[in-house]
Amino acid sequence: MPKNKEQATVIFQPSGRRGNIGYGKTLMQAAHDLGVGIEGLCGYKGTCGKCKVKIEEGVFAKYGIESSRNNVSRLNSAEKKMLTAKQQKDGYRLACQTAIQGDIAVFIPEESRLAKQVVRKMAGEIAVELKPAVKRYCVDLKRATLEDPLGDWERLEAELKKRFKLHDLEIDYQVLRSLQDMVRKGKWKVTVSVWKGKEVIAVEPGVIEKSYGLAVDIGTTTLAAYLCDLSSADVIATDSMMNPQVSYGEDVISRINYAMNKNDGLDIMHEAVIKGINKLAATTAAKAGIKRSSIMDMAVVGNTCMHHIFLNIDPQYLSKAPFPPSLHRSLDIKTRELGLRICPGAYIHVLPIEAGFVGADNVGVLIAEEPYRHDDMVLIVDIGTNGELLMGNRKKIVSSSCATGPAFEGAEIKFGMRAAPGAIEKIRIDPDTREVQFKVIGKEEWNTEIEEIGATGICGSGIIDAAAQVFRAGIIDHTGRFRMDLDSPRLRKNENEPEFVIAWAKETSIGQDIVVCQKDIRNIQLAKGAMYAGAKLMMRELGLEKIDKVVLAGAFGNYIDRESAALIGLFPDCAQENVYAVGNAAGDGARIALLNIDKRVEADQRAKEVDYLELTVEPDFEMVFTYAMWFPHMKDKFPHLAKLLPKT
């Protein structure tokens, strides 16, 4: 919708909701108009401080605006009272007190969000032999005497060698500093944590049987952490959150640009993700009833850009041909080197990278799904802001990366939003009447079964359903164009752009119709076309005419409808019974590496064996991509979808 001279463009992150808002309105009013939930308990009087938001500075080229803290009203007395000096300096404001005076991007911190983001990255079932990097040993030491004044470390080292056959041990410097205190607090009985049989990383007084490790999946959009018992392999606690880096860019290219164009951009994003992981370490430890210092090991996965920012390595060269990462192999680094607050002597194991845009998260998927052990030709699709593909079997495996963009996260969809209560997640359209049924997150009933549904927008699974359903119902044709000759009150033009009403205003909590428009369909086509084109070129590389199985990896893959995904052409034709979701396979891979050090070696080995296909240098990529833009494809046949495809 074009804005007039008395309106400003307002973007709310991390939901991605945006719109044109009249000058003088408060951020809270703008949030209400756009269906964005911000906490507030004082009736907008500025006395509770629950509506803290951050005004971003800089150019947001994607939206065509320059956000500035000068584009809002000045701090008032209520804000000065509720905000610390540092918060004021960092651009924090109270949404209920801040008036809009120009284009702005606003980040809503987790604690200020009324509708908490639903991050669906629960731990899946994995079968792995328990062989952790860290093992505990309980040791009784002989007391030092005047006749036997041997140093505490030498005394402990000798006992570990004698009783447990541990030779040539080293001791972490920080552990050495506190060793004598620990020995005496335990009355010469201590529990020793040894990393890979070669370094003592912790000494604790008394007998402690349990030890814990943390597996972390650093996604572009979300962070997920899985606290595991290293003596049983059980998942003790899980937690997840939005990646705090979202406010600096929705996709990897945006974050690389932020690191390149802002002097301290890399440091800012690095500190943000470390702070987020520390928070997850604290919350999972609290759920398990342990201290963070009891977490003795950590395994981390993430795409190549997230990997570099996590390690505070400049990611700029990932955006320049030939897109080399700083290193391919795995890495073990002390937690304190990165400011992670678990056991100070612990190591973090970062899984290896396959290629510039196929990172450690894809290696996690690789060792979790193990296509290299099977005869079936399988396509593994990790759907996210950066789509990653694996294809092959025991003979050969190829990987590629597709710039799908954040459309499936709702960022480029008119009423798109990330998964949160009120988001439309399932859609069905009757092909004859073109009437709509939908479900929202947080309610089991369809909209036709209850009076108040309170829809606020459409999340990723709903977006895929929407495209599939308007296609199947003949509302759009194979090219994605709306068929305006149809007779339906839901089909109309707005600002010369066709749109179809999914939810009438009375069914929403934002007071306006929720629609899918022509631009939305085009953005979905771009995202799904990139994914299909990648799979098509990989099939050609392997000499395949068909694939036997499609595995939908990633948390998002668990919630999308397989039939809808097939209808829009997210992947080549495959029998529906052979299309299945496996949840957050990257996170499963991180847990496997945490629980078994042999799997870490296997990950390094298998990552080297995967052939990376750089799609952008394929001479006919644009043509393959153009064909893949159609629903489900311009030329390819889909015998398994014959009964579902529209006849027109």
Side-chain angles (χ1 to χ4, degrees), residues 352-379:
I353 286 171
E354 287 177 29
F357 281 102
V358 183
D361 54 349
N362 206 50
V363 178
V365 174
L366 185 67
I367 63 171
E369 293 305 307
E370 299 183 329
Y372 45 80
R373 300 192 191 280
H374 301 281
D375 294 319
D376 288 335
M377 276 294 178
V378 61
L379 167 64

PDB file of all heavy atoms in Angstrom, residues 352-379:
ATOM      1  N   PRO A 352      32.303 -29.624  11.255  1.00  0.00           N
ATOM      2  CA  PRO A 352      32.963 -29.092  10.057  1.00  0.00           C
ATOM      3  C   PRO A 352      31.991 -28.454   9.071  1.00  0.00           C
ATOM      4  O   PRO A 352      30.771 -28.592   9.188  1.00  0.00           O
ATOM      5  CB  PRO A 352      33.621 -30.334   9.447  1.00  0.00           C
ATOM      6  CG  PRO A 352      32.765 -31.471   9.900  1.00  0.00           C
ATOM      7  CD  PRO A 352      32.330 -31.097  11.285  1.00  0.00           C
ATOM      8  N   ILE A 353      32.557 -27.785   8.082  1.00  0.00           N
ATOM      9  CA  ILE A 353      31.804 -27.102   7.032  1.00  0.00           C
ATOM     10  C   ILE A 353      32.027 -27.841   5.714  1.00  0.00           C
ATOM     11  O   ILE A 353      33.145 -28.273   5.419  1.00  0.00           O
ATOM     12  CB  ILE A 353      32.269 -25.627   6.923  1.00  0.00           C
ATOM     13  CG1 ILE A 353      31.736 -24.836   8.112  1.00  0.00           C
ATOM     14  CG2 ILE A 353      31.835 -24.992   5.613  1.00  0.00           C
ATOM     15  CD1 ILE A 353      32.316 -23.449   8.212  1.00  0.00           C
ATOM     16  N   GLU A 354      30.979 -27.961   4.929  1.00  0.00           N
ATOM     17  CA  GLU A 354      31.111 -28.600   3.619  1.00  0.00           C
ATOM     18  C   GLU A 354      31.612 -27.619   2.566  1.00  0.00           C
ATOM     19  O   GLU A 354      32.499 -27.928   1.776  1.00  0.00           O
ATOM     20  CB  GLU A 354      29.768 -29.173   3.169  1.00  0.00           C
ATOM     21  CG  GLU A 354      29.359 -30.431   3.921  1.00  0.00           C
ATOM     22  CD  GLU A 354      27.987 -30.911   3.490  1.00  0.00           C
ATOM     23  OE1 GLU A 354      27.602 -30.669   2.324  1.00  0.00           O
ATOM     24  OE2 GLU A 354      27.286 -31.504   4.324  1.00  0.00           O
ATOM     25  N   ALA A 355      31.012 -26.415   2.530  1.00  0.00           N
ATOM     26  CA  ALA A 355      31.371 -25.426   1.508  1.00  0.00           C
ATOM     27  C   ALA A 355      30.922 -24.054   1.984  1.00  0.00           C
ATOM     28  O   ALA A 355      30.395 -23.905   3.095  1.00  0.00           O
ATOM     29  CB  ALA A 355      30.724 -25.780   0.173  1.00  0.00           C
ATOM     30  N   GLY A 356      31.110 -23.035   1.117  1.00  0.00           N
ATOM     31  CA  GLY A 356      30.821 -21.660   1.504  1.00  0.00           C
ATOM     32  C   GLY A 356      29.447 -21.442   2.106  1.00  0.00           C
ATOM     33  O   GLY A 356      29.308 -20.755   3.101  1.00  0.00           O
ATOM     34  N   PHE A 357      28.412 -22.025   1.496  1.00  0.00           N
ATOM     35  CA  PHE A 357      27.066 -21.827   2.024  1.00  0.00           C
ATOM     36  C   PHE A 357      26.399 -23.137   2.427  1.00  0.00           C
ATOM     37  O   PHE A 357      25.183 -23.209   2.540  1.00  0.00           O
ATOM     38  CB  PHE A 357      26.205 -21.052   1.028  1.00  0.00           C
ATOM     39  CG  PHE A 357      26.475 -19.575   1.061  1.00  0.00           C
ATOM     40  CD1 PHE A 357      27.258 -18.987   0.095  1.00  0.00           C
ATOM     41  CD2 PHE A 357      25.998 -18.781   2.091  1.00  0.00           C
ATOM     42  CE1 PHE A 357      27.538 -17.630   0.133  1.00  0.00           C
ATOM     43  CE2 PHE A 357      26.271 -17.429   2.148  1.00  0.00           C
ATOM     44  CZ  PHE A 357      27.044 -16.848   1.162  1.00  0.00           C
ATOM     45  N   VAL A 358      27.193 -24.182   2.614  1.00  0.00           N
ATOM     46  CA  VAL A 358      26.680 -25.433   3.175  1.00  0.00           C
ATOM     47  C   VAL A 358      27.520 -25.725   4.407  1.00  0.00           C
ATOM     48  O   VAL A 358      28.661 -26.151   4.303  1.00  0.00           O
ATOM     49  CB  VAL A 358      26.759 -26.595   2.165  1.00  0.00           C
ATOM     50  CG1 VAL A 358      26.136 -27.844   2.767  1.00  0.00           C
ATOM     51  CG2 VAL A 358      26.049 -26.230   0.870  1.00  0.00           C
ATOM     52  N   GLY A 359      26.938 -25.459   5.548  1.00  0.00           N
ATOM     53  CA  GLY A 359      27.739 -25.405   6.759  1.00  0.00           C
ATOM     54  C   GLY A 359      27.631 -26.602   7.679  1.00  0.00           C
ATOM     55  O   GLY A 359      27.224 -27.704   7.296  1.00  0.00           O
ATOM     56  N   ALA A 360      27.999 -26.356   8.933  1.00  0.00           N
ATOM     57  CA  ALA A 360      28.022 -27.400   9.948  1.00  0.00           C
ATOM     58  C   ALA A 360      26.629 -27.937  10.238  1.00  0.00           C
ATOM     59  O   ALA A 360      26.477 -29.092  10.658  1.00  0.00           O
ATOM     60  CB  ALA A 360      28.655 -26.856  11.227  1.00  0.00           C
ATOM     61  N   ASP A 361      25.603 -27.113  10.021  1.00  0.00           N
ATOM     62  CA  ASP A 361      24.240 -27.612  10.230  1.00  0.00           C
ATOM     63  C   ASP A 361      23.904 -28.720   9.232  1.00  0.00           C
ATOM     64  O   ASP A 361      23.272 -29.710   9.568  1.00  0.00           O
ATOM     65  CB  ASP A 361      23.216 -26.480  10.148  1.00  0.00           C
ATOM     66  CG  ASP A 361      23.311 -25.667   8.866  1.00  0.00           C
ATOM     67  OD1 ASP A 361      24.296 -25.820   8.112  1.00  0.00           O
ATOM     68  OD2 ASP A 361      22.405 -24.845   8.621  1.00  0.00           O
ATOM     69  N   ASN A 362      24.395 -28.561   7.996  1.00  0.00           N
ATOM     70  CA  ASN A 362      24.150 -29.589   6.989  1.00  0.00           C
ATOM     71  C   ASN A 362      24.937 -30.859   7.303  1.00  0.00           C
ATOM     72  O   ASN A 362      24.474 -31.972   7.029  1.00  0.00           O
ATOM     73  CB  ASN A 362      24.520 -29.074   5.599  1.00  0.00           C
ATOM     74  CG  ASN A 362      23.758 -29.782   4.501  1.00  0.00           C
ATOM     75  OD1 ASN A 362      22.541 -29.902   4.544  1.00  0.00           O
ATOM     76  ND2 ASN A 362      24.487 -30.278   3.508  1.00  0.00           N
ATOM     77  N   VAL A 363      26.118 -30.702   7.889  1.00  0.00           N
ATOM     78  CA  VAL A 363      26.889 -31.872   8.320  1.00  0.00           C
ATOM     79  C   VAL A 363      26.151 -32.571   9.459  1.00  0.00           C
ATOM     80  O   VAL A 363      26.147 -33.806   9.549  1.00  0.00           O
ATOM     81  CB  VAL A 363      28.312 -31.471   8.752  1.00  0.00           C
ATOM     82  CG1 VAL A 363      29.090 -32.682   9.258  1.00  0.00           C
ATOM     83  CG2 VAL A 363      29.062 -30.827   7.589  1.00  0.00           C
ATOM     84  N   GLY A 364      25.511 -31.793  10.328  1.00  0.00           N
ATOM     85  CA  GLY A 364      24.679 -32.381  11.377  1.00  0.00           C
ATOM     86  C   GLY A 364      23.560 -33.219  10.790  1.00  0.00           C
ATOM     87  O   GLY A 364      23.283 -34.339  11.251  1.00  0.00           O
ATOM     88  N   VAL A 365      22.896 -32.688   9.755  1.00  0.00           N
ATOM     89  CA  VAL A 365      21.851 -33.448   9.055  1.00  0.00           C
ATOM     90  C   VAL A 365      22.446 -34.716   8.446  1.00  0.00           C
ATOM     91  O   VAL A 365      21.849 -35.796   8.511  1.00  0.00           O
ATOM     92  CB  VAL A 365      21.200 -32.581   7.954  1.00  0.00           C
ATOM     93  CG1 VAL A 365      20.218 -33.416   7.132  1.00  0.00           C
ATOM     94  CG2 VAL A 365      20.491 -31.370   8.560  1.00  0.00           C
ATOM     95  N   LEU A 366      23.632 -34.589   7.877  1.00  0.00           N
ATOM     96  CA  LEU A 366      24.298 -35.707   7.207  1.00  0.00           C
ATOM     97  C   LEU A 366      24.530 -36.872   8.160  1.00  0.00           C
ATOM     98  O   LEU A 366      24.189 -38.024   7.851  1.00  0.00           O
ATOM     99  CB  LEU A 366      25.625 -35.227   6.616  1.00  0.00           C
ATOM    100  CG  LEU A 366      26.419 -36.215   5.763  1.00  0.00           C
ATOM    101  CD1 LEU A 366      25.683 -36.523   4.478  1.00  0.00           C
ATOM    102  CD2 LEU A 366      27.809 -35.656   5.460  1.00  0.00           C
ATOM    103  N   ILE A 367      25.088 -36.607   9.342  1.00  0.00           N
ATOM    104  CA  ILE A 367      25.378 -37.718  10.268  1.00  0.00           C
ATOM    105  C   ILE A 367      24.128 -38.190  11.003  1.00  0.00           C
ATOM    106  O   ILE A 367      24.094 -39.306  11.534  1.00  0.00           O
ATOM    107  CB  ILE A 367      26.495 -37.352  11.274  1.00  0.00           C
ATOM    108  CG1 ILE A 367      26.086 -36.195  12.187  1.00  0.00           C
ATOM    109  CG2 ILE A 367      27.788 -37.051  10.544  1.00  0.00           C
ATOM    110  CD1 ILE A 367      27.067 -35.952  13.329  1.00  0.00           C
ATOM    111  N   ALA A 368      23.082 -37.357  11.018  1.00  0.00           N
ATOM    112  CA  ALA A 368      21.825 -37.786  11.642  1.00  0.00           C
ATOM    113  C   ALA A 368      21.042 -38.713  10.721  1.00  0.00           C
ATOM    114  O   ALA A 368      20.458 -39.711  11.165  1.00  0.00           O
ATOM    115  CB  ALA A 368      20.979 -36.566  12.014  1.00  0.00           C
ATOM    116  N   GLU A 369      21.047 -38.416   9.423  1.00  0.00           N
ATOM    117  CA  GLU A 369      20.250 -39.194   8.466  1.00  0.00           C
ATOM    118  C   GLU A 369      21.055 -40.289   7.764  1.00  0.00           C
ATOM    119  O   GLU A 369      20.487 -41.246   7.249  1.00  0.00           O
ATOM    120  CB  GLU A 369      19.613 -38.257   7.434  1.00  0.00           C
ATOM    121  CG  GLU A 369      18.563 -37.337   8.021  1.00  0.00           C
ATOM    122  CD  GLU A 369      17.478 -38.098   8.748  1.00  0.00           C
ATOM    123  OE1 GLU A 369      16.877 -39.016   8.152  1.00  0.00           O
ATOM    124  OE2 GLU A 369      17.247 -37.797   9.937  1.00  0.00           O
ATOM    125  N   GLU A 370      22.362 -40.137   7.696  1.00  0.00           N
ATOM    126  CA  GLU A 370      23.288 -41.137   7.141  1.00  0.00           C
ATOM    127  C   GLU A 370      22.872 -41.667   5.763  1.00  0.00           C
ATOM    128  O   GLU A 370      22.788 -42.894   5.553  1.00  0.00           O
ATOM    129  CB  GLU A 370      23.442 -42.313   8.108  1.00  0.00           C
ATOM    130  CG  GLU A 370      24.008 -41.920   9.455  1.00  0.00           C
ATOM    131  CD  GLU A 370      24.221 -43.123  10.374  1.00  0.00           C
ATOM    132  OE1 GLU A 370      23.448 -44.103  10.263  1.00  0.00           O
ATOM    133  OE2 GLU A 370      25.162 -43.093  11.180  1.00  0.00           O
ATOM    134  N   PRO A 371      22.645 -40.808   4.785  1.00  0.00           N
ATOM    135  CA  PRO A 371      22.302 -41.315   3.447  1.00  0.00           C
ATOM    136  C   PRO A 371      23.429 -42.144   2.838  1.00  0.00           C
ATOM    137  O   PRO A 371      23.186 -42.973   1.953  1.00  0.00           O
ATOM    138  CB  PRO A 371      22.062 -40.027   2.640  1.00  0.00           C
ATOM    139  CG  PRO A 371      22.832 -38.965   3.374  1.00  0.00           C
ATOM    140  CD  PRO A 371      22.720 -39.342   4.815  1.00  0.00           C
ATOM    141  N   TYR A 372      24.644 -41.954   3.337  1.00  0.00           N
ATOM    142  CA  TYR A 372      25.798 -42.683   2.816  1.00  0.00           C
ATOM    143  C   TYR A 372      25.805 -44.157   3.226  1.00  0.00           C
ATOM    144  O   TYR A 372      26.704 -44.903   2.841  1.00  0.00           O
ATOM    145  CB  TYR A 372      27.096 -42.010   3.283  1.00  0.00           C
ATOM    146  CG  TYR A 372      27.134 -41.608   4.737  1.00  0.00           C
ATOM    147  CD1 TYR A 372      27.402 -42.535   5.747  1.00  0.00           C
ATOM    148  CD2 TYR A 372      26.885 -40.284   5.119  1.00  0.00           C
ATOM    149  CE1 TYR A 372      27.428 -42.172   7.077  1.00  0.00           C
ATOM    150  CE2 TYR A 372      26.912 -39.909   6.465  1.00  0.00           C
ATOM    151  CZ  TYR A 372      27.185 -40.849   7.436  1.00  0.00           C
ATOM    152  OH  TYR A 372      27.214 -40.475   8.755  1.00  0.00           O
ATOM    153  N   ARG A 373      24.820 -44.588   3.986  1.00  0.00           N
ATOM    154  CA  ARG A 373      24.723 -46.002   4.367  1.00  0.00           C
ATOM    155  C   ARG A 373      23.581 -46.721   3.628  1.00  0.00           C
ATOM    156  O   ARG A 373      23.303 -47.883   3.906  1.00  0.00           O
ATOM    157  CB  ARG A 373      24.518 -46.144   5.873  1.00  0.00           C
ATOM    158  CG  ARG A 373      25.634 -45.551   6.715  1.00  0.00           C
ATOM    159  CD  ARG A 373      25.508 -45.975   8.175  1.00  0.00           C
ATOM    160  NE  ARG A 373      26.399 -45.222   9.034  1.00  0.00           N
ATOM    161  CZ  ARG A 373      27.698 -45.464   9.192  1.00  0.00           C
ATOM    162  NH1 ARG A 373      28.249 -46.461   8.519  1.00  0.00           N
ATOM    163  NH2 ARG A 373      28.440 -44.731  10.005  1.00  0.00           N
ATOM    164  N   HIS A 374      22.890 -46.039   2.699  1.00  0.00           N
ATOM    165  CA  HIS A 374      21.684 -46.612   2.092  1.00  0.00           C
ATOM    166  C   HIS A 374      21.774 -46.667   0.570  1.00  0.00           C
ATOM    167  O   HIS A 374      22.540 -45.934  -0.056  1.00  0.00           O
ATOM    168  CB  HIS A 374      20.465 -45.804   2.515  1.00  0.00           C
ATOM    169  CG  HIS A 374      20.265 -45.770   4.005  1.00  0.00           C
ATOM    170  ND1 HIS A 374      19.711 -46.817   4.700  1.00  0.00           N
ATOM    171  CD2 HIS A 374      20.574 -44.822   4.929  1.00  0.00           C
ATOM    172  CE1 HIS A 374      19.686 -46.518   5.999  1.00  0.00           C
ATOM    173  NE2 HIS A 374      20.204 -45.320   6.161  1.00  0.00           N
ATOM    174  N   ASP A 375      20.942 -47.543  -0.020  1.00  0.00           N
ATOM    175  CA  ASP A 375      20.899 -47.694  -1.472  1.00  0.00           C
ATOM    176  C   ASP A 375      19.894 -46.746  -2.121  1.00  0.00           C
ATOM    177  O   ASP A 375      20.075 -46.339  -3.267  1.00  0.00           O
ATOM    178  CB  ASP A 375      20.533 -49.141  -1.844  1.00  0.00           C
ATOM    179  CG  ASP A 375      21.626 -50.122  -1.427  1.00  0.00           C
ATOM    180  OD1 ASP A 375      22.811 -49.795  -1.608  1.00  0.00           O
ATOM    181  OD2 ASP A 375      21.285 -51.202  -0.914  1.00  0.00           O
ATOM    182  N   ASP A 376      18.810 -46.411  -1.423  1.00  0.00           N
ATOM    183  CA  ASP A 376      17.792 -45.516  -1.978  1.00  0.00           C
ATOM    184  C   ASP A 376      18.388 -44.149  -2.286  1.00  0.00           C
ATOM    185  O   ASP A 376      19.206 -43.624  -1.520  1.00  0.00           O
ATOM    186  CB  ASP A 376      16.636 -45.337  -0.990  1.00  0.00           C
ATOM    187  CG  ASP A 376      15.783 -46.585  -0.873  1.00  0.00           C
ATOM    188  OD1 ASP A 376      15.765 -47.375  -1.831  1.00  0.00           O
ATOM    189  OD2 ASP A 376      15.141 -46.761   0.177  1.00  0.00           O
ATOM    190  N   MET A 377      17.941 -43.569  -3.415  1.00  0.00           N
ATOM    191  CA  MET A 377      18.321 -42.204  -3.739  1.00  0.00           C
ATOM    192  C   MET A 377      17.399 -41.257  -2.966  1.00  0.00           C
ATOM    193  O   MET A 377      16.192 -41.226  -3.200  1.00  0.00           O
ATOM    194  CB  MET A 377      18.194 -41.953  -5.247  1.00  0.00           C
ATOM    195  CG  MET A 377      19.401 -42.406  -6.026  1.00  0.00           C
ATOM    196  SD  MET A 377      20.848 -41.391  -5.589  1.00  0.00           S
ATOM    197  CE  MET A 377      22.105 -42.182  -6.596  1.00  0.00           C
ATOM    198  N   VAL A 378      17.979 -40.522  -2.053  1.00  0.00           N
ATOM    199  CA  VAL A 378      17.189 -39.677  -1.161  1.00  0.00           C
ATOM    200  C   VAL A 378      17.535 -38.204  -1.364  1.00  0.00           C
ATOM    201  O   VAL A 378      18.692 -37.852  -1.618  1.00  0.00           O
ATOM    202  CB  VAL A 378      17.409 -40.084   0.319  1.00  0.00           C
ATOM    203  CG1 VAL A 378      18.866 -39.919   0.727  1.00  0.00           C
ATOM    204  CG2 VAL A 378      16.512 -39.279   1.261  1.00  0.00           C
ATOM    205  N   LEU A 379      16.533 -37.369  -1.281  1.00  0.00           N
ATOM    206  CA  LEU A 379      16.716 -35.915  -1.262  1.00  0.00           C
ATOM    207  C   LEU A 379      16.370 -35.438   0.137  1.00  0.00           C
ATOM    208  O   LEU A 379      15.257 -35.667   0.626  1.00  0.00           O
ATOM    209  CB  LEU A 379      15.796 -35.233  -2.281  1.00  0.00           C
ATOM    210  CG  LEU A 379      15.669 -33.709  -2.156  1.00  0.00           C
ATOM    211  CD1 LEU A 379      17.001 -33.012  -2.413  1.00  0.00           C
ATOM    212  CD2 LEU A 379      14.586 -33.167  -3.088  1.00  0.00           C
TER     213      LEU A 379
END
